[in-house]
Amino acid sequence: MAENESVRQRTSDSARGEEPLLRRGRPADPRPEAGDGARLGDAASGAQVSANRPATAPADRLETDDIPASNEAVEESSTGEAPQNIDKTLAESRQRKLRLMLRQCDRVLLLDFDLLALPDWPDNYTLAAARRNRDIWLFGALLAAVVFLSGMTGFVPAWIAGGGFGAFVIILLLGIPGVRRLYTSRPSYLDLVIRRQRLLRDARKHIEHLEGKEGLVWQCARMAEFNSALKATRFSELLALSERRVLARNLTRREHIRLYLIYLLEAEKAYARAQQAFFEGHQQAIDRGWSSVAAEPGDRA
């Protein structure tokens, strides 16, 4: 019996191997296994990460939240600035176009209405009456000359021939302008013809000055959007001649001068409307702060 107990105690001691001997009354601490140590390390690191996460999570959340906000701000600013840039570009193009039209057609302001209206132009009735008086004067002078010549050939008596010579001289004297003004204030046919030629010459000089080297009528045709009357077909010949720079030399009649005057009056109306539109656009550009759009028109010629 004693031998069995001693053998059983040795086998139990050999089975426990290197396990430490514990004192009575104190429980033994089990040795931690490899899996348990890894779980404890992960738990410690997780606790450390969880301890540090509250400080970093809000920052990350702010950064991730700021990205969509900034993109939305960029999109809103781009969508808000795009129409404004388009309006600015359109306004700048419009002002440039108006400024060009005003510069090209500013010579219409030099129009002399009294010179092109031809107020002293002799009418056809006055010209016909003067022509009839001239024919009567010529017939009287010719008849007196025939009587005088007939007396020189002996066909009529000498005293009749002498009377015819005297009548011929008097009729000739009555036709002299200086003598004619003594008994009548009506101009002669020659005076009326000279007056017409002088008025036409002065009007053509003024038209040549207005047309210049570029052609005023052709330049003002671009303002038809402000006055549709400039698109009338009756002005087509004027536009063609002005484009070829030969308008002034082809205006040889009063009707041509009057037509040119009517066109310039319509162009003057269009110029005033274009100028008003330019100043309105200029004021609008100043109100919006568009310094590149707010530009003054160039100096007039």
Side-chain angles (χ1 to χ4, degrees):
M1 296 293 292
E3 293 177 358
N4 292 334
E5 291 179 0
S6 61
V7 171
R8 190 182 296 113
Q9 184 175 2
R10 278 193 204 102
T11 56
S12 63
D13 292 338
S14 62
R16 280 194 293 267
E18 296 179 357
E19 292 182 358
L21 297 177
L22 301 179
R23 295 178 182 180
R24 293 182 179 179
R26 182 177 182 274
D29 294 332
R31 181 183 296 272
E33 298 178 354
D36 295 338
R39 282 196 297 270
L40 290 176
D42 294 339
S45 62
Q48 185 177 1
V49 170
S50 63
N52 296 331
R53 184 174 298 172
T56 59
D60 297 337
R61 189 179 299 111
L62 290 177
E63 293 178 358
T64 56
D65 292 343
D66 289 340
I67 294 175
S70 61
N71 292 334
E72 292 178 358
V74 171
E75 292 179 357
E76 292 179 357
S77 61
S78 61
T79 55
E81 291 179 357
Q84 186 177 4
N85 293 334
I86 294 175
D87 294 340
K88 182 178 179 181
T89 303
L90 293 177
E92 187 175 359
S93 176
R94 177 69 172 174
Q95 290 297 102
R96 189 183 303 110
K97 179 181 177 182
L98 292 175
R99 186 164 54 250
L100 179 60
M101 287 193 300
L102 292 176
R103 185 183 298 111
Q104 290 177 343
C105 196
D106 57 358
R107 298 181 70 87
V108 73
L109 301 177
L110 303 176
L111 171 66
D112 190 349
F113 179 82
D114 294 333
L115 188 58
L116 295 183
L118 306 176
D120 298 332
W121 183 265
D123 56 2
N124 294 331
Y125 176 78
T126 304
L127 197 65
R131 186 186 297 111
R132 184 175 61 253
N133 294 332
R134 183 204 61 180
D135 295 340
I136 294 173
W137 175 78
L138 289 176
F139 178 76
L142 181 60
L143 181 61
V146 169
V147 171
F148 172 70
L149 293 176
S150 299
M152 293 181 65
T153 58
F155 184 74
V156 295
W159 65 274
I160 296 178
F165 178 75
F168 177 74
V169 173
I170 293 173
I171 292 174
L172 288 180
L173 291 175
L174 293 177
I176 298 175
V179 178
R180 181 182 176 85
R181 296 189 186 94
L182 297 177
Y183 65 92
T184 182
S185 60
R186 291 181 298 181
S188 63
Y189 179 77
L190 182 61
D191 295 337
L192 295 177
V193 172
I194 292 175
R195 183 186 301 177
R196 280 190 170 187
Q197 293 178 354
R198 178 177 55 82
L199 292 175
L200 281 176
R201 183 176 63 254
D202 295 342
R204 290 173 63 182
K205 286 183 179 179
H206 184 57
I207 292 174
E208 186 177 0
H209 173 67
L210 292 176
E211 286 293 308
K213 298 180 180 180
E214 300 297 332
L216 179 61
V217 172
W218 179 63
Q219 297 289 339
C220 292
R222 301 179 182 178
M223 295 193 302
E225 61 176 305
F226 296 99
N227 190 357
S228 59
L230 298 177
K231 299 180 181 179
T233 56
R234 59 175 177 171
F235 300 133
S236 59
E237 188 175 358
L238 291 179
L239 292 175
L241 294 175
S242 178
E243 187 176 1
R244 296 198 301 266
R245 317 295 194 272
V246 292
L247 179 60
R249 71 182 68 174
N250 288 276
L251 300 180
T252 57
R253 301 177 59 184
R254 184 195 182 193
E255 292 78 8
H256 302 161
I257 305 297
R258 297 295 295 272
L259 184 63
Y260 183 83
L261 176 61
I262 293 173
Y263 184 90
L264 287 192
L265 291 177
E266 298 295 338
E268 191 174 6
K269 295 179 183 178
Y271 184 89
R273 295 171 186 174
Q275 191 177 35
Q276 182 65 27
F278 176 82
F279 287 135
E280 290 178 358
H282 179 76
Q283 185 63 38
Q284 184 179 5
I286 293 177
D287 295 339
R288 294 190 177 185
W290 296 341
S291 59
S292 60
V293 181
E296 295 293 338
D299 297 335
R300 293 173 180 171

